Amino acid sequence: MERVSALRILISGISIIFVLACAYSAQAFMLVAPQAQKAEPSSPEQGTARVMPASYEETYAAFVEEFPFERYSVTRNEGSLIAKPYNEYSAAVTLTFTKTDSPDKTEVRMIASQQNTPEVLRKWELSVLKRVEAKLIAAKQAPVAKASTAAPERPAVKSDIDELPRTSAKINKSDFAIVIGIEEYRQKLPRADFAVSDARLVAEYLMKVMGYPEENVVLLTNEKALQSDLAKYFERWLHNQVEKDGTVFIYYSGHGAPDHKTGGAYLVPYDGDPAFISETGYSLHRMYNALGKLPAKEIIVVLDSCFSGAGGRSVIAKGLRPLVMNLPNNKALPKNMTVLAASSGDQVSATYDEKGHGLFTYFLLKGIKNEEIVRPDGSIRIDDLFGYVKPQVERIARRQFNNEQTPQLMGAKKN
């Protein structure tokens, strides 16, 4: 009897333990399951993805602004951007950009890598993506909001160079370009007609004809071309990107201005003021000095501007007279640099209204399109291009505008 009682007690104890275990498991499941249901469909390896309401180029530029060089070491590769070493969570950030079926939408996947707090990083990734998305939406809405007060747009003019040639060079990942077009200015300076459309078309030729990777071409127009933007891209961005086997292409379309005190020539940024040009402008000397520090095998600078202050694509402080500018000679330029300028130092750079472009830029792109001066690797036979552009510009300027405009070629001039 004692054995039977002991056996019954043992069986009862086992039953109680089994019931308690089942109850605990059910409770644990109830605690865990809701968290699993709420989890984001992402992981530390996958990061966070979002489709941005903007083109590939616009989206890429927005994220470059989001991770300024002052706070991050930024590396740009084809289709990706790496910002390191640290964000506020001490994490390296990798962004991957993917084009979608729509030209106005781009998928961005963001991965912040750190040993600790992965859930916090996923929330941070989402907050950055949402912040950039809001900026892109606001940028698209801004022109609509300002339409009622903005100056009337010039009617669009289509010319033969607006249709790109069908041939294109092989993509060269080591080639980089900065393309600037400033048509309107914060100081209400005279418009530099067609400067923005010129810059956009030059960027297209670089990417679709000359083999420059889209992510390696920076396009700065109007309010995106502040003095600080020029300094950032000429002095920091290029320095971080360019390698010894690469080519650098610089294009500027907009106003130039002289400094009456020093005789220096300046690009006029969107926030530039001719009355304080040494403080608000970006000098050619400063630009050439920054470019001269690059290890690139070739640097090409194209200036559809003028610097005397006599009109056209140049401005001057009120009450001052135009100057005869001395543009840099071969000795003042780095050995690997070639400069093509729209006119000489005492001339005016004209626009070609019937073609909808600057006179110099029109024939520059016409030469690239029709004269077979682009090699299979995307490089340009500079002497051949200049030999085509110079007489064409001189002829049209003299016949149609009663003006002397003589393009200039300075520097390496390697064929």
Side-chain angles (χ1 to χ4, degrees), residues 110-128:
M110 184 175 181
I111 302 177
S113 304
Q114 187 206 47
Q115 293 182 352
N116 301 317
T117 61
E119 292 303 320
V120 173
L121 288 178
R122 300 292 81 76
K123 293 179 180 178
W124 178 80
E125 290 168 354
L126 186 59
S127 70
V128 173

Side-chain angles (χ1 to χ4, degrees), residues 71-75 82-87 91-93:
R71 295 180 55 203
Y72 300 87
S73 172
V74 179
T75 302
I82 303 173
K84 61 182 183 181
Y86 305 118
N87 58 20
V93 180

Side-chain angles (χ1 to χ4, degrees), residues 66-209:
E66 181 67 23
F67 294 94
F69 296 104
E70 293 78 10
R71 295 180 55 203
Y72 300 87
S73 172
V74 179
T75 302
R76 293 176 62 164
N77 298 310
E78 185 174 5
S80 67
L81 183 152
I82 303 173
K84 61 182 183 181
Y86 305 118
N87 58 20
E88 52 259 51
Y89 300 105
S90 300
V93 180
T94 301
L95 295 109
T96 304
F97 301 82
T98 305
K99 295 181 180 180
T100 68
D101 294 337
S102 171
D104 295 326
K105 292 185 179 180
T106 306
E107 181 180 319
V108 182
R109 182 171 295 277
M110 184 175 181
I111 302 177
S113 304
Q114 187 206 47
Q115 293 182 352
N116 301 317
T117 61
E119 292 303 320
V120 173
L121 288 178
R122 300 292 81 76
K123 293 179 180 178
W124 178 80
E125 290 168 354
L126 186 59
S127 70
V128 173
L129 292 171
K130 287 183 176 180
R131 185 161 62 244
V132 175
E133 180 184 38
K135 288 182 180 179
L136 290 168
I137 293 173
K140 288 183 177 296
Q141 293 175 342
V144 176
K146 296 179 180 179
S148 59
T149 58
E153 292 286 337
R154 276 177 168 266
V157 178
K158 295 291 289 185
S159 73
D160 52 331
I161 64 170
D162 292 325
E163 183 177 344
L164 275 63
R166 295 182 179 180
T167 59
S168 60
K170 181 180 178 181
I171 296 295
N172 190 338
K173 296 181 180 180
S174 60
D175 290 350
F176 291 85
I178 297 176
V179 180
I180 303 168
I182 311 174
E183 190 164 327
E184 298 177 347
Y185 288 83
R186 192 167 70 185
Q187 295 292 330
K188 306 302 181 184
L189 305 178
R191 284 172 62 108
D193 290 332
F194 308 120
V196 170
S197 57
D198 282 354
R200 288 174 177 162
L201 190 59
V202 167
E204 283 196 65
Y205 268 77
L206 288 169
M207 294 182 291
K208 299 178 182 179
V209 179

Side-chain angles (χ1 to χ4, degrees), residues 20-35:
L20 290 174
C22 291
Y24 177 79
S25 298
Q27 184 180 13
F29 178 79
M30 291 301 292
L31 290 173
V32 173
Q35 293 180 354

